[in-house]
Amino acid sequence: SMLTRRTMAGLVGRARGFQARAAVPVAGAHTSPLGPSTLPTRRLFSANGKEEKTFAAKCKTVAANALLEGVLNNTTGFDSLFAGLKITDIGKGTVEMELLVEPKMQNPFWKMHGGALCTLVDLAGTAAIMSLSPTQPGVSVDLNVSFLSAADIGETLIITSKVEKLGQKLGFTDVRISEKLSGRLVAVGRHTKYFSG
């Protein structure tokens, strides 16, 4: 959906705030008319990893970075378990993320807890929807996950999500979670979100 100029100006201002709070500039970061991006690496992305050519596209990238940072970077409570989650690529309706499985995510059998995998489906599905509609994260109304293999502590997971359909009231996403080195599929999920606006 198209953002109004006032909304876009507010988002760009918010993005500048994130840049000002970042401690270290990101090597090889996306360059925009606002200057080099210094957003934290775990949330930095540009469309398909390429520099946008138009001012509008550059503004959209800066705004989406700020929104995803605000929505996904919750450092308190349950979501703090996923502070290491990195967005590695984003396109139109697709997002790829990466996460190191840490001991704080383990179940009694020293494997990644199934609830943590479910949360990854939630986060990745939300991010994919926001790649198409940055101001519309929605609320979850349905989430299902099939567990195909265990993820060990210390493994790195690749989480890919894709929007299958985005309507005025509902968004449907597919999510795949695999082990980075072997490509072994760990879990697949579907996530549906409702938009009240």
Side-chain angles (χ1 to χ4, degrees):
S1 64
M2 295 297 295
L3 300 174
T4 65
R5 287 183 183 175
R6 180 178 295 169
T7 302
M8 184 61 75
L11 294 174
V12 169
R14 187 172 177 194
R16 284 182 175 162
F18 282 115
Q19 290 173 340
R21 288 193 299 271
V24 180
V26 178
H30 170 74
T31 302
S32 78
L34 305 174
S37 173
T38 53
L39 291 171
T41 48
R42 72 172 195 242
R43 296 289 182 247
L44 180 68
F45 65 84
S46 60
N48 297 320
K50 298 177 182 176
E51 185 174 352
E52 293 81 358
K53 302 300 180 188
T54 67
F55 177 75
K58 290 177 182 181
C59 285
K60 183 178 178 183
T61 295
V62 171
N65 267 306
L67 283 165
L68 282 176
E69 182 72 20
V71 170
L72 301 180
N73 187 24
N74 183 349
T75 56
T76 61
F78 181 75
D79 286 348
S80 65
L81 287 175
F82 305 94
L85 186 64
K86 300 174 186 176
I87 295 176
T88 55
D89 190 33
I90 189 164
K92 292 184 177 180
T94 62
V95 171
E96 182 177 281
M97 300 175 164
E98 192 172 293
L99 178 72
L100 175 67
V101 181
E102 300 179 65
K104 62 186 177 181
M105 303 170 188
Q106 74 184 19
N107 64 18
F109 305 102
W110 304 284
K111 306 291 184 184
M112 189 174 190
H113 197 287
L117 289 165
C118 291
T119 302
L120 284 179
V121 171
D122 186 323
L123 293 172
T126 300
I129 286 172
M130 291 182 72
S131 74
L132 293 174
S133 184
T135 60
Q136 185 170 265
V139 294
S140 299
V141 294
D142 183 60
L143 186 145
N144 68 69
V145 181
S146 296
F147 305 102
L148 306 176
S149 65
D152 292 321
I153 305 307
E155 286 184 335
T156 298
L157 301 180
I158 300 294
I159 306 101
T160 58
S161 58
K162 178 183 178 184
V163 175
E164 293 297 333
K165 182 178 179 181
L166 185 62
Q168 290 185 348
K169 292 293 183 183
L170 293 173
F172 302 87
T173 64
D174 279 327
V175 179
R176 297 172 67 85
I177 302 172
S178 57
E179 199 277 319
K180 183 176 183 177
L181 291 179
S182 67
R184 182 184 84 255
L185 203 54
V186 173
V188 294
R190 286 180 169 268
H191 185 208
T192 306
K193 304 205 81 172
Y194 170 76
F195 315 115
S196 59

